[in-house]
């Protein structure tokens, strides 16, 4: 089955620690995205990548970093510089980065900072 | 006008009712729009794409009004399983490859 997987589903982190969230897709999509969702809020774009070895900052990139070494993978690192990292993190992909392409989402990772 | 704006609801409707949600957007050059459905604590899933004046899929109809810059989602014969939050999604700022997600409208279908 083609799709997007994210791991882990739940993640707990102590303050001051970096943590990496995994996102893998086997849809052969060129574009991948990371969003953050807070309760009662819309999705906010953290980073996106239109092609391997290239990525751009979204609206709230501070305190986050990404890499895109393979087409299938787009891991997100939440660094200790992120002031309020507790949130629901969603990874998505689309055939290309054009805005007329729908995005498909993974099941998400819930990060809680203790 | 905000990039995308939705009535947060909640809309509480009885089974079998017809319900409509509106969504307004600011980028007049937008060509494509989407409605996503998000269940509680789950990921958003694509419900419908809207590329021209509208789209229909079974009980669901999406309409686009470019002059007034809004899109609507109509659900006929509501089912209990339609209870979810419905996200309106529009292209981002001009020249951007991004999508902008609305905060969503919550629907509860009551037995």
């Amino acid at each position: 089955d083609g799709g997007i997987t994210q791991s882990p589903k739940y993640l707990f982190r102590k303050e001051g620690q970096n943590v990496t969230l995994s996102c893998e897709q086997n849809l052969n999509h060129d574009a991948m995205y990371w969003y953050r969702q807070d309760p009662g809020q819309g999705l906010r774009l953290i980073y996106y990548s239109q092609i391997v070895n290239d990525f751009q900052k979204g609206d709230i990139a501070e305190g986050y970093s990404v890499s895109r070494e393979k087409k299938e993978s787009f891991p997100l690192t939440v660094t200790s510089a992120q002031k309020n990292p507790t949130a629901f993190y969603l990874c998505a992909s689309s055939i290309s980065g054009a805005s007329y392409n729908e995005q498909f989402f993974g099941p998400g990772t819930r990060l809680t900072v203790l | 006008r905000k990039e995308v704006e939705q009535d947060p609801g909640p809309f509480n409707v009885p089974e079998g009712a017809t319900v409509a949600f509106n969504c307004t957007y600011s980028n007049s050059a937008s060509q494509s729009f989407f409605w996503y459905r998000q269940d509680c604590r789950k990921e958003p899933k694509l419900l419908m794409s809207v590329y021209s004046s509208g789209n229909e899929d079974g009980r669901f109809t999406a309409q686009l009004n470019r002059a007034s810059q809004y899109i609507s989602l109509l659900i006929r014969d509501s089912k209990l399983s339609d209870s979810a939050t419905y996200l309106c999604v529009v292209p981002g700022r001009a020249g951007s490859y991004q999508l902008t997600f609305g905060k969503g409208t919550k629907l509860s279908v009551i037995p």
Side-chain angles (χ1 to χ4, degrees), chain A residues 23-74:
Chain A
C23 177
E24 304 277 334
Q25 55 98 0
N26 61 4
L27 299 168
N28 200 33
H29 285 174
D30 282 324
M32 296 187 75
Y33 313 81
W34 274 105
Y35 293 91
R36 164 183 177 141
Q37 188 175 36
D38 295 281
Q41 300 297 313
L43 276 67
R44 292 185 290 169
L45 183 65
I46 304 172
Y47 268 97
Y48 65 103
S49 168
Q50 294 180 296
I51 199 167
V52 176
N53 293 321
D54 187 47
F55 50 83
Q56 288 81 40
K57 294 181 179 180
D59 298 320
I60 56 166
E62 185 176 351
Y64 300 97
S65 65
V66 294
S67 62
R68 187 86 187 277
E69 297 176 1
K70 297 187 300 181
K71 187 175 185 177
E72 302 80 17
S73 178
F74 192 40

Side-chain angles (χ1 to χ4, degrees), chain B residues 59-73:
Chain B
R59 298 182 294 109
F60 298 85
T61 300
Q63 291 187 321
L64 170 62
N65 185 318
R66 292 188 188 277
S68 300
Q69 292 181 219
Y70 77 83
I71 57 175
S72 62
L73 178 66

Side-chain angles (χ1 to χ4, degrees), chain A residues 10 35 37 40-43 45 48 50 57 59 88 90 97-107 110, chain B residues 32 34 36 38 40-46 49 51 87 91-93 96-104:
Chain A
Y10 298 97
Y35 293 91
Q37 188 175 36
Q41 300 297 313
L43 276 67
L45 183 65
Y48 65 103
Q50 294 180 296
K57 294 181 179 180
D59 298 320
F88 186 37
L90 289 157
S99 60
Y100 51 77
N101 290 318
E102 55 264 40
Q103 295 179 14
F104 298 89
F105 286 84
R110 290 196 179 275
Chain B
S32 56
F34 307 96
Y36 280 75
Q38 186 173 25
C40 187
R41 301 180 69 81
K42 299 288 189 179
E43 75 273 26
K45 293 185 178 179
L46 180 68
S49 304
Y51 296 111
L87 310 179
R93 296 176 295 277
S96 166
Y97 288 96
Q98 302 173 28
L99 295 177
T100 299
F101 287 76
K103 294 182 179 180

Side-chain angles (χ1 to χ4, degrees), chain B residues 4 10 12 15 21-22 30 33 36 39-40 42 44 57 62 73 91 98-99 101 104 109-110:
Chain B
V4 59
N12 299 313
E15 272 187 287
F21 312 134
N22 278 345
S30 297
F33 306 84
Y36 280 75
D39 292 292
C40 187
K42 299 288 189 179
D57 183 5
L73 178 66
Q98 302 173 28
L99 295 177
F101 287 76
V109 181
I110 305 165

Side-chain angles (χ1 to χ4, degrees), chain B residues 72-90:
Chain B
S72 62
L73 178 66
L74 181 76
I75 305 175
R76 291 181 295 276
D77 189 21
S78 299
K79 312 291 185 189
L80 295 177
S81 57
D82 293 334
S83 297
T85 296
Y86 291 85
L87 310 179
C88 172
V89 184
V90 306

